[in-house]
């Protein structure tokens, strides 16, 4: 069996690792270059992401990923200001899942290790065609084609695979953006803020502004962990990596204007933080400007089910969840990997295997709340909407 994955994000790479581990032929086409676009700083990994990584990664990769996560977090602190001092409220903020913080850059580097000969960077997918005999041919932006038994769209919220396969799926721009950055922990150590929040995430409400914060202390030094667990990981991935504070400031698209350079986004964040408590101001002022990004918050309303076939979609391509979409993307990858392995072993035909994975994904991953936090209606039962007619 041969599998084409479009997109080397969290979902696509977790799937590719899992398939490679199971001895299944996989190739990944990624539109961006090897270093990609900045996609944020940290990722909260909950039990779903942890389970997927444990199932799909080889031992050394997993040990490296887990050794360099932050300490366990079970709730988000609420921080406010009283008499000019930042204080932690006695009751934590509601919601949130227990888990650990991972550095996005480092996790991505771990996920890429060992896939060097399988990931084709700078190669955008454009279209697919279903062929007689059940295979799928993909067309790439550089004019080349490739053929496989299964095509997986793991190409994020703007997914070109989904746009062709399930063109009725809507993507809504909420108009909200998240400015996200990172600051060396040493630069703010003297403010008392790291001591106040420890290893936990904090939701700070001060002077009419909301800011999310989290301290990432690597459980093991990334350099030492690489030497011990994953020497094949590029040494550049760990060079100069140090403990940091991750921060987010919500903003609307109107306020953000056209997406600017990281330095431009950082200056905007500085403007938003200018009136805040001095410790919070320093967190933004002392940030690494080139790590600051403005992330779009999009949502996909629940998608009616579709008949299964050799083309499928996972992750943000079919359900966008800004706070935990990475966990869902990895969970989808894990589930699809298991389905494809069952098929490769002759335990299930391909449609049944992919259909079961999609059903599980719809059950567990499609949104149940809308952008305002109101419950959404459950998706209709299977068979309601056909995928677009394939050429
Ligand atoms: C502010 C913010 C904070 C977040 N925090 C968390 C968190 O703490 N925990 C969490 O679990 N999730 C979090 N998320 C969500 C998480 O980032 C996403 O859900 C996750 O990255 C989705 O993974 P994916 O693999 O589906 O897609 P992506 O990571 O978006 O990857 C898609 C890939 O496909 C590539 N691609 C696109 N089109 C093509 C094409 N035509 N051809 C080839 N390649 C293509 C892209 O270049 C990209 O590399 C957060 C999101 C935001 C906005």
């Amino acid at each position: 069996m041969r599998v084409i994955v479009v997109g080397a994000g969290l979902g696509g790479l977790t799937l590719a690792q899992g398939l490679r581990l199971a001895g299944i032929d996989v190739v990944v086409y990624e539109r961006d270059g090897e270093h990609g676009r900045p996609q944020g700083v940290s990722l909260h990994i909950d039990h779903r992401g942890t389970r997927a990584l444990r199932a799909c990664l080889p031992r050394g990769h997993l040990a490296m990923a887990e050794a360099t996560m932050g300490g366990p977090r079970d709730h988000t602190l609420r921080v406010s200001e009283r008499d000019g001092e930042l204080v932690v409220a006695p009751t934590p903020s509601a919601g949130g899942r227990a888990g650990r913080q991972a550095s996005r850059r480092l996790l991505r580097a771990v996920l890429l290790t060992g896939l060097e000969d399988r990931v084709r960077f700078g190669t955008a997918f454009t279209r697919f065609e279903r062929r007689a005999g059940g295979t799928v041919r993909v067309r790439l932006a550089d004019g080349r084609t490739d053929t496989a038994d299964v095509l997986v769209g793991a190409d994020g919220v703007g997914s070109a695979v989904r746009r062709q396969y399930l063109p009725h799926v809507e993507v809504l721009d909420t108009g909200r953006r998240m400015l996200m950055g990172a600051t060396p922990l040493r630069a703010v150590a003297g403010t008392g803020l790291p001591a106040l929040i420890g290893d936990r995430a904090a939701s700070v409400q001060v002077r009419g502004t909301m800011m999310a914060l989290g301290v990432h202390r690597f459980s093991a030094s990334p350099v030492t962990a690489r030497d011990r667990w994953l020497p094949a990981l590029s040494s550049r991935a760990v060079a100069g990596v140090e403990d940091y504070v991750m921060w987010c400031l919500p903003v609307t698209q109107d306020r953000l204007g056209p997406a600017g350079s990281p330095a431009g986004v950082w200056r905007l964040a500085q403007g938003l933080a200018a009136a805040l408590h001095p410790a919070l101001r320093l967190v933004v002022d002392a940030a690494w400007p080139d790590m600051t990004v403005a992330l779009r918050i999009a949502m996909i309303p629940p998608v009616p089910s579709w008949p299964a076939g050799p083309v499928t979609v996972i992750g943000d391509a079919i359900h966008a969840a800004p706070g935990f979409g990475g966990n869902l993307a990895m969970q989808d990858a894990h589930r699809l990997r298991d389905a494809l392995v069952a098929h490769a072993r002759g335990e299930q035909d391909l449609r049944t295997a992919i259909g079961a994975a999609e059903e599980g994904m719809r059950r567990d991953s499609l949104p149940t709340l809308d952008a305002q936090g109101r419950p959404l209606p459950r998706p209709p039962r299977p068979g309601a909407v056909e995928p677009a007619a394939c050429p």
Side-chain angles (χ1 to χ4, degrees):
M1 180 170 50
R2 182 157 201 270
V3 180
I4 292 178
V5 177
V6 179
L10 288 169
L13 291 176
T14 303
L15 175 62
Q17 285 284 359
L19 293 175
R20 171 177 165 265
L21 197 59
I24 293 176
D25 186 14
V26 57
V27 61
V28 183
Y29 290 107
E30 168 56 48
R31 181 184 58 191
D32 288 347
E34 186 172 349
H35 301 296
R37 284 160 298 134
Q39 278 205 311
V41 176
S42 286
L43 203 61
H44 181 76
I45 307 280
D46 63 25
H47 67 282
R48 298 165 294 187
T50 303
R51 208 161 42 208
L53 293 175
R54 289 185 179 164
C56 293
L57 294 190
R59 200 170 150 267
H61 288 62
L62 178 66
M64 177 71 200
E66 293 195 336
T68 50
M69 287 181 190
R73 285 184 181 173
D74 52 0
H75 60 264
T76 301
L77 301 174
R78 283 193 300 127
V79 173
S80 57
E81 191 175 352
R82 198 187 310 136
D83 303 329
E85 295 292 320
L86 293 176
V87 290
V88 173
T91 49
S93 94
R97 288 173 192 255
R100 295 173 68 192
Q101 203 75 3
S103 148
R104 276 192 185 248
R105 279 188 185 184
L106 193 47
L107 180 60
R108 184 163 193 271
V110 169
L111 289 173
L112 277 168
T113 302
L115 293 177
E116 293 80 2
D117 58 337
R118 320 268 177 125
V119 182
R120 314 272 185 269
F121 289 107
T123 312
F125 158 93
T126 55
R127 304 274 307 158
F128 68 85
E129 293 147 25
R130 302 263 295 270
R131 310 193 73 205
T135 56
V136 184
R137 179 159 66 189
V138 305
R139 295 189 178 276
L140 304 165
D142 58 13
R144 284 180 302 145
T145 61
D146 194 1
T147 302
D149 303 288
V150 179
L151 166 63
V152 182
D155 46 347
V157 73
S159 173
V161 176
R162 182 206 63 232
R163 287 202 310 270
Q164 180 183 348
Y165 188 48
L166 302 168
H168 53 279
V169 172
E170 277 182 288
V171 177
L172 306 179
D173 186 340
T174 61
R176 292 184 292 138
R177 303 291 180 266
M178 199 60 92
L179 308 187
M180 201 177 199
T183 308
L185 184 56
R186 60 185 154 75
V188 295
T191 62
L193 192 58
L196 184 71
I197 63 177
D199 275 338
R200 269 148 306 167
S203 166
V204 187
Q205 292 277 0
V206 280
R207 306 183 193 181
T209 298
M210 206 290 262
M211 184 174 183
L213 288 173
V215 174
H216 187 120
R217 291 185 181 87
F218 289 96
S219 299
S221 136
V223 171
T224 311
R226 170 188 173 269
D227 293 347
R228 174 159 186 209
W229 298 111
L230 195 58
L233 174 68
S234 151
S235 56
R236 270 189 328 210
V238 290
V241 173
E242 59 175 303
D243 295 347
Y244 61 84
V245 181
M246 178 282 293
W247 51 267
C248 291
L249 284 160
V251 65
T252 58
Q253 170 59 43
D254 309 346
R255 189 114 189 242
L256 178 64
S261 63
V265 174
W266 172 60
R267 279 193 294 274
L268 176 67
Q270 281 187 299
L272 292 174
L276 298 185
H277 184 279
L280 301 173
R281 219 161 50 220
L282 182 63
V283 167
V284 179
D285 285 344
W288 287 293
D290 64 339
M291 285 184 71
T292 317
V293 284
L295 298 166
R296 182 169 81 116
I297 310 292
M299 72 158 298
I300 297 181
V303 180
S305 48
W306 59 91
V311 179
T312 188
V313 275
I314 63 170
D316 274 16
I318 192 69
H319 46 75
F324 50 90
N327 287 280
L328 297 183
M330 291 188 278
Q331 176 175 259
D332 295 346
H334 175 195
R335 186 180 274 129
L336 184 60
R337 194 286 309 248
D338 285 355
L340 296 177
V341 169
H343 168 67
R345 287 189 187 136
E347 293 163 11
Q348 272 185 329
D349 70 78
L350 191 60
R351 274 171 203 273
T352 306
I354 290 181
E358 288 174 343
E359 191 54 32
M361 176 177 75
R362 280 189 287 267
R363 188 186 57 234
D364 295 344
S365 304
L366 289 180
T368 52
L369 297 178
D370 70 10
Q372 279 74 47
R374 292 178 301 230
L376 287 162
R378 295 294 301 163
R381 298 303 305 156
V385 177
E386 292 285 325
C390 297

